[in-house]
């Protein structure tokens, strides 16, 4: 099963490499990983999307927690949460027909065209990873994707629950 | 008033003094010469110059295993630091508190492939508890204090501190401030077991008919053997130790059924396999203990006490997990047992012990020594035991000799048995023994070794002379990489691929060349007397080279992929 793990850790040099190293050393899977300082810039927050059964997940959570730099880790997928990912995608938009079509699709998905070239549109879209996948698939049917980049997912628990020091 | 300023090198030494360090084990080089200069100009801390940095790590490790203190290593950047890698991994696998101070090129050169630049923090990342890149001179004291705190608390382990040269040089100075009472928001190891889990554990123990206590290195590391003995005597249960846990309870205690696992005793493995409740204390269900995990003790309810949550339910699912310091949790268990008026079920106990005695009487740990034939290695260990009254510190290398020592030298106390269990590092024995001897100069310290292992750090004979470390080296010389040869006999159709040594040196002459005493023993008749002679020489290192039967195998031995009690008990005989 897919899990989204949120990790709060010291914003120290080398802290990220310990997390990444741990995953490769113990053959844990990383589907995506994002990292940035939080509102308190002594702290970093990492979001990792990973796949594994309950036993593997238990080990991942424990092993990450054991790292000296890590303050907290939670599995967001255990409860209600909001999950978002950002996509930037550059597609071919050669003529009126294809421009209209790309615009129409991106409107349906609530994307925004953020750059226009002679023959290209660049679209920005946020949403769940599933939504991004569906968008890419639809675009693929209509036009040609030249380049795409995804942020990897970030997430936050719904309600009062907060990941803080 | 102007505050006194110090160089980084002086700060390192001051910080180590503040942490009550007595010895540093190390080897100099370009990046740490300022530090060596600072060490030269004080006399609180003694530096022990080894002959290879790997030996410095093992020596610090042996010192730590015997005393419980943090072992301190100092190495120069690049090759000096990489030479420490095996020793760091060895300490990591056995949870030994160690701080390794590694030099580094100046911060201005880091990343340039400068002379003797190696990213030692990167190299050691998977084999350390934590590491620090020091980048500011004023941080040095607190980084070192943190390193010691992390290394020695919770589940102990090695910590690497990288010190770039420009932080140590005389031109740069800062004020010295150190906080010895370290607090870290991201690191607060659990101490007490959860009360609910304690109650669950005691309830499970109360319902047990065939309880076994299985204890490991955690007991030794936390000096909890008295409490363990009390607990075992309260429960009247059988107890088995892991290779790392030997001495956790006296090897001659009547409840002790021997070591368990791959080369464990027949009765220990049988007792485990037939138990209905296993109380695991500071042990981690290592694959050398469990054999095939699918077949591991299927009928047992498992209570697992460990300081490290990752050890719990990693290989074997724990029904009652208890995270906490083992000595604290054992006291909690004893209190809860008392509070619930625990009385052992005498009838069930009698049946259980009767069964265990039957297994014990089969005496499957055994060997046959025939007069006039080659000396059996087991016989040598038994002789060592007698001569030293069972009171020696025994540091071991890795191979058959290690298993024979574990089986035939019942350790009375924790910290008496010093071996590389998790990593199985050949070359560990001699430097580890030296570390022990440094700590306890008046005690018998034996290095039990093989003709293969001893050659992996034999250069340390020179260090022994320099610092007067008269350990007794007993080499069970079978002219082979015996443990490899045994596997080749059993699994590879007797094809001895690269497992014997046709060009062995005369070890006694090597010892003599280094300024020590060499004694060769090759017949049974002279074994006891010559060994006694070796142990009577107090002020000189003695290298005893005992020529033993090269065909001897270590038994019992797990049958691969079987259950914990599927064992070969002698050549060609299954239990
Ligand atoms: C550094 C290292 N290399 C290789 C091994 C694999 N190994 C395990 S036991 C052994 C043979 C050891 O030979 P010796 O020291 O003579 O001991 P014996 O088994 O003969 O008693 C070897 C090669 C190891 N444990 N450590
Ligand atoms: Mg040998």
């Amino acid at each position: 099963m897919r899990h989204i793990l949120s990790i709060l850790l010291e914003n120290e040099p080398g802290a990220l490499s310990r997390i990444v190293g741990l995953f490769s050393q113990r053959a844990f899977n990383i589907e995506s990983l994002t990292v940035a300082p939080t509102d308190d810039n002594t702290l970093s927050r990492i979001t990792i999307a990973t796949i594994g059964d309950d036993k593997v997940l238990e080990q991942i959570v424990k092993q990450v927690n054991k790292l000296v730099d890590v303050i907290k880790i939670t599995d967001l997928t255990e409860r209600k949460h909001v999950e978002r990912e950002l996509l930037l995608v550059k597609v071919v938009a050669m003529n009126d027909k294809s421009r209209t079509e790309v615009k129409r699709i991106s409107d349906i998905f609530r994307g925004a065209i953020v750059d226009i070239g002679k023959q290209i549109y660049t679209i920005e879209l946020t949403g769940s990873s599933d939504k991004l996948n569906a968008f890419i698939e639809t675009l693929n049917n209509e036009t040609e994707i030249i380049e795409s980049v995804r942020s990897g997912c970030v997430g936050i628990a719904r309600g009062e629950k907060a990941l803080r020091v | 008033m102007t505050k006194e300023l110090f160089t980084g090198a002086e700060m390192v030494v001051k910080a180590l003094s503040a942490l009550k360090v007595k010895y540093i084990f190390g080897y100099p080089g370009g990046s740490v010469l300022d530090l060596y200069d600072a060490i030269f100009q004080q006399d609180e801390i003694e530096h022990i110059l080894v002959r290879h940095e790997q030996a410095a790590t093992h020596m610090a490790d042996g010192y730590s295993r015997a005393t419980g203190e943090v072992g301190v290593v100092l190495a120069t950047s690049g090759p000096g630091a990489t030479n420490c890698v095996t020793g760091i991994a060895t300490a990591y696998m056995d949870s030994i508190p160690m701080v390794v101070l590694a030099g580094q090129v100046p911060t201005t050169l880091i990343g340039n492939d400068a002379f003797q630049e190696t990213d030692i923090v990167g190299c050691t990342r998977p084999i350390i508890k934590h590491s620090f890149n020091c980048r500011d001179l004023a941080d040095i004291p607190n980084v070192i204090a943190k390193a010691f705190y992390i290394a020695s608390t919770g589940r102990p382990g090695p910590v690497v501190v990288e010190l770039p040269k420009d932080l140590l040089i005389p031109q740069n100075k800062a004020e010295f401030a150190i906080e010895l009472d370290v607090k870290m928001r991201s690191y607060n190891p659990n101490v007490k077991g959860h009360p609910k889990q304690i109650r669950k554990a005691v309830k499970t123990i109360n319902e047990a008919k065939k309880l076994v206590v299985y204890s490991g290195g955690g007991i030794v590391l936390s000096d909890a053997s008295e409490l363990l003995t009390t607990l075992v005597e309260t429960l009247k249960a059988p107890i088995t130790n892991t290779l790392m846990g030997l001495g956790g309870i006296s090897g001659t205690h009547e409840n002790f059924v021997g070591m368990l696992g791959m080369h464990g005793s027949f009765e220990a493995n049988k007792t485990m396999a037939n138990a209905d409740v296993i109380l695991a204390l500071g042990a981690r269900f290592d694959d050398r203990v469990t054999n095939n995990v699918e077949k591991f003790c299927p009928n047992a309810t498992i209570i697992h006490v460990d300081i490290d949550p990752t050890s719990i339910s990693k290989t074997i699912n724990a029904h009652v997990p208890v995270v906490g310091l083992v000595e604290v949790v054992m006291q909690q268990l004893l209190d809860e047992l008392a509070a619930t008026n625990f009385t052992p079920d005498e009838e069930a106990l009698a049946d259980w012990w009767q069964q265990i005695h039957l297994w014990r009487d089969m005496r499957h740990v055994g060997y046959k020594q025939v007069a006039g034939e080659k000396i059996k290695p087991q016989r040598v260990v038994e002789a060592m035991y007698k001569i030293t009254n069972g009171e020696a510190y025994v540091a071991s290398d890795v191979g058959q000799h290690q298993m024979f020592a574990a089986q035939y030298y019942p350790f009375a106390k924790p910290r008496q048995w010093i071996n590389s269990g998790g990593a199985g590092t050949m070359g560990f024995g001699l430097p580890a023994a030296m570390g022990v001897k440094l700590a306890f100069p008046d005690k018998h310290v034996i290095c039990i070794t093989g003709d293969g292992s001893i050659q992996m750090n034999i250069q340390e004979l020179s260090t022994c002379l320099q610092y007067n470390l008269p350990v007794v080296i007993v080499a069970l010389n079978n002219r082979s990489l015996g443990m490899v040869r045994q596997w080749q006999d059993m699994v590879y159709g007797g094809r001895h691929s690269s497992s014997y040594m046709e060009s062995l040196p005369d070890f006694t002459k090597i010892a003599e060349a280094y300024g020590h005493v060499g004694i060769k023993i090759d017949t049974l008749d002279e074994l006891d007397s010559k060994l006694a002679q070796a142990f009577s020489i107090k002020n000189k290192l003695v290298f005893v080279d005992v020529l033993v039967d090269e065909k001897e195998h270590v038994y019992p031995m797990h049958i691969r992929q079987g259950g914990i009690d599927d064992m070969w008990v002698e050549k060609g005989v299954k239990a």
Side-chain angles (χ1 to χ4, degrees):
Chain A
M1 208 186 107
R2 179 166 177 268
H3 295 257
I4 300 168
L5 305 174
S6 272
I7 303 163
L8 205 57
L9 72 168
E10 296 290 354
N11 187 3
E12 294 275 349
L16 176 62
S17 77
R18 291 180 211 277
I19 300 269
V20 176
L22 173 71
F23 273 72
S24 79
Q25 172 190 356
R26 299 200 180 260
F28 299 146
N29 167 288
I30 298 183
E31 190 185 86
S32 76
L33 182 152
T34 72
V35 57
T38 65
D39 54 302
D40 170 353
N41 67 8
T42 66
L43 294 173
S44 285
R45 179 150 169 170
I46 294 180
T47 311
I48 295 181
T50 184
I51 292 172
D53 60 22
D54 289 352
K55 198 172 151 72
V56 172
L57 245 291
E58 182 182 332
Q59 268 299 309
I60 294 180
V61 170
K62 286 174 167 181
Q63 292 286 358
V64 170
N65 236 331
K66 186 172 156 182
L67 294 175
V68 169
D69 286 332
V70 170
I71 297 170
K72 279 182 184 167
I73 172 168
T74 69
D75 182 352
L76 285 178
T77 21
E78 271 178 357
R79 59 180 73 81
K80 293 209 171 98
H81 66 281
V82 182
E83 175 192 339
R84 290 289 180 274
E85 188 174 353
L86 169 69
L87 166 76
L88 294 171
V89 59
K90 212 174 261 189
V91 298
V92 174
M94 294 275 272
N95 49 34
D96 278 355
K97 185 173 164 288
S98 76
R99 279 181 207 152
T100 323
E101 196 50 29
V102 168
K103 173 85 172 64
R104 193 181 67 82
I105 297 169
S106 100
D107 284 347
I108 292 172
F109 280 85
R110 294 172 206 267
I113 293 167
V114 292
D115 189 35
I116 296 180
K118 268 196 191 136
Q119 299 183 346
I120 63 115
Y121 274 5
T122 300
I123 312 158
E124 170 193 322
L125 182 74
T126 53
S128 69
S129 305
D130 279 351
K131 176 176 160 183
L132 267 47
N133 292 342
F135 182 58
I136 288 173
E137 203 184 307
T138 316
L139 280 178
N140 256 330
N141 292 337
E142 286 310 322
T143 176
E144 185 189 334
I145 293 178
I146 296 167
E147 181 186 349
S148 74
V149 56
R150 297 170 66 147
S151 62
C153 75
V154 293
I156 199 161
R158 286 191 187 273
E160 310 286 293
K161 189 132 182 102
L163 191 63
R164 291 204 68 86
V165 180
Chain B
M1 194 185 92
T2 52
K3 284 260 173 87
E4 206 182 341
L5 298 181
F6 297 92
T7 69
E10 288 164 343
M11 285 198 197
V12 172
V13 175
K14 269 177 82 72
L16 295 176
S17 301
L19 289 155
K20 308 210 161 42
V21 170
K22 298 187 203 81
Y23 299 104
I24 304 177
F25 306 92
Y27 209 91
S31 70
V32 289
L33 287 179
D34 296 289
L35 198 39
Y36 272 86
D37 199 40
I39 292 171
F40 190 86
Q41 298 177 50
Q42 55 83 54
D43 45 28
E44 272 177 60
I45 304 174
E46 188 180 358
H47 178 270
I48 307 291
L49 175 71
V50 291
R51 300 297 181 266
H52 187 306
E53 290 87 350
Q54 183 192 348
T57 56
H58 294 329
M59 202 173 165
D61 181 324
Y63 178 83
S64 172
R65 288 183 205 234
T67 61
E69 294 168 27
V70 176
V72 185
V73 178
L74 171 57
T76 193
S77 65
T82 55
N83 270 349
C84 294
V85 167
T86 303
I88 294 170
T90 304
Y92 178 73
M93 292 300 286
D94 291 343
S95 312
I96 304 305
M98 177 184 289
V99 169
V100 179
L101 305 171
Q104 184 53 289
V105 300
T107 44
T108 47
L109 292 182
I110 288 178
N112 284 5
D113 299 318
F115 177 64
Q116 294 194 328
E117 178 185 0
T118 301
D119 173 13
I120 195 61
V121 164
C123 288
T124 55
R125 203 216 69 245
I127 51 167
I128 39 110
K129 181 163 174 190
H130 197 56
S131 49
F132 293 95
N133 300 89
C134 246
R135 290 293 180 268
D136 187 350
L137 171 58
D139 287 346
I140 288 178
N142 283 328
V143 164
I144 291 179
K146 275 188 193 171
F148 272 69
Y149 172 66
I150 294 169
S152 58
T153 52
R155 180 176 179 175
V159 177
V160 169
V161 178
E162 186 188 81
L163 296 164
K165 172 145 182 156
D166 52 333
L167 269 58
L168 304 175
I169 54 177
Q171 291 82 343
N172 296 330
K173 292 188 176 189
E175 283 174 23
F176 178 89
I178 188 164
E179 181 53 71
L180 291 175
D181 184 17
V182 177
K183 292 208 172 54
M184 295 173 73
R185 63 179 174 183
S186 66
Y187 174 74
N188 302 290
N190 230 357
V191 174
K192 265 185 120 170
H194 196 290
K196 202 180 104 205
Q197 295 304 93
I198 299 290
R199 285 195 296 275
K200 253 191 170 172
V202 166
K203 186 164 176 287
T204 311
I205 290 170
N206 254 307
E207 287 161 5
K209 300 262 180 269
K210 299 188 226 170
L211 174 69
V212 61
V213 179
Y214 147 54
S215 80
I219 297 287
V220 177
L221 288 167
S222 47
D223 294 306
S225 72
E226 275 178 37
L227 213 48
L228 174 68
T229 309
T230 308
L231 182 62
V232 166
E233 287 171 358
T234 306
L235 300 172
K236 300 189 177 173
I239 173 164
T240 176
N241 285 164
T242 66
L243 178 66
M244 292 307 299
L246 293 175
I249 190 163
S250 169
T252 53
H253 193 285
E254 59 177 352
N255 291 43
F256 184 60
V257 294
M259 178 171 78
L260 83 172
M262 177 171 273
H263 294 295
S265 76
F266 178 75
E267 59 265 35
N269 285 340
K270 277 285 177 200
T271 304
M272 285 291 285
N274 291 281
D276 63 353
V277 173
I278 295 173
L279 174 58
L281 300 169
R284 60 188 179 91
F285 296 89
D286 176 85
D287 53 273
R288 285 296 192 265
V289 160
T290 58
N291 211 2
N292 185 347
V293 291
E294 308 287 326
K295 298 181 187 165
F296 181 77
C297 305
N299 303 318
T301 303
I302 293 170
I303 307 166
H304 192 174
V305 180
D306 205 288
I307 184 65
D308 181 359
T310 69
S311 287
I312 297 179
S313 297
K314 179 170 63 184
T315 54
I316 299 291
N317 185 46
H319 305 89
V320 187
V322 188
V323 178
L325 281 175
V326 75
E327 70 269 34
V328 176
V329 173
M330 283 197 296
Q331 189 58 58
Q332 286 177 285
L333 290 174
L334 281 166
D335 293 347
E336 179 69 14
L337 285 166
T340 54
N341 293 319
F342 169 81
T343 37
D345 176 344
E346 295 293 345
E347 206 176 314
L349 264 178
D351 287 352
W352 185 217
W353 274 107
Q354 191 187 7
Q355 174 64 72
I356 293 167
H357 286 305
L358 284 178
W359 290 321
R360 201 180 260 178
D361 290 343
M362 293 180 180
R363 283 270 166 246
H364 274 304
V365 175
Y367 67 95
K368 291 183 200 80
Q369 176 73 69
V370 179
E373 288 186 359
K374 285 183 184 166
I375 302 172
K376 294 288 183 187
Q378 299 93 323
R379 176 70 177 72
V380 182
V381 177
E382 287 188 334
M384 270 168 31
Y385 181 79
K386 278 201 201 104
I387 293 167
T388 58
N389 254 331
E391 288 166 2
Y393 284 92
V394 180
S396 182
D397 261 308
V398 172
Q400 291 183 317
H401 59 273
Q402 176 189 24
M403 294 301 131
F404 291 136
Q407 292 176 335
Y408 289 89
Y409 199 115
F411 295 98
K413 295 207 172 81
R415 302 193 179 280
Q416 229 187 312
W417 169 237
I418 312 272
N419 89 126
S420 165
T425 305
M426 289 171 68
F428 173 81
L430 176 57
M434 290 158 58
V436 179
K437 189 72 187 178
L438 190 68
F440 299 107
D442 301 330
K443 296 278 162 68
H444 278 306
V445 179
I446 303 171
C447 164
I448 179 127
T449 185
D451 44 288
S453 296
I454 191 63
Q455 296 191 77
M456 285 208 185
N457 267 319
I458 200 161
Q459 76 286 346
E460 296 308 317
L461 286 172
S462 173
T463 313
C464 289
L465 189 71
Q466 181 173 352
Y467 295 96
N468 185 29
L469 300 169
V471 300
V472 179
I473 300 173
V474 179
L476 301 185
N477 185 346
N478 53 10
R479 281 83 58 210
S480 11
L481 303 176
M483 190 54 95
V484 171
R485 179 188 165 118
Q486 173 168 349
W487 280 59
Q488 290 170 337
D489 285 339
M490 295 174 73
V491 190
Y492 296 93
R495 292 179 295 280
H496 296 158
S497 176
S498 298
S499 64
Y500 62 112
M501 307 262 227
E502 284 162 322
S503 45
L504 285 175
D506 182 335
F507 289 114
T508 58
K509 287 206 179 119
I510 289 188
E512 283 162 12
Y514 273 107
H516 307 301
V517 177
I519 295 179
K520 188 174 286 181
I521 303 179
D522 58 8
T523 62
L524 187 60
D525 298 344
E526 56 183 11
L527 174 63
D528 294 322
S529 59
K530 281 200 172 172
L531 256 188
Q533 182 202 343
F535 281 98
S536 70
I537 302 172
K538 293 274 183 263
N539 54 357
K540 285 205 142 212
L541 181 150
V542 186
F543 192 125
V544 191
D545 184 19
V546 193
L547 302 184
V548 296
D549 185 354
E550 70 281 4
K551 297 217 169 57
E552 195 63 18
H553 285 177
V554 183
Y555 291 111
M557 178 169 174
H558 272 159
I559 297 170
R560 289 195 309 159
Q561 292 308 317
I564 190 171
D565 61 339
D566 287 323
M567 289 168 277
W568 296 103
V569 287
E570 53 187 282
K571 268 186 199 168
V573 181
K574 295 186 185 181

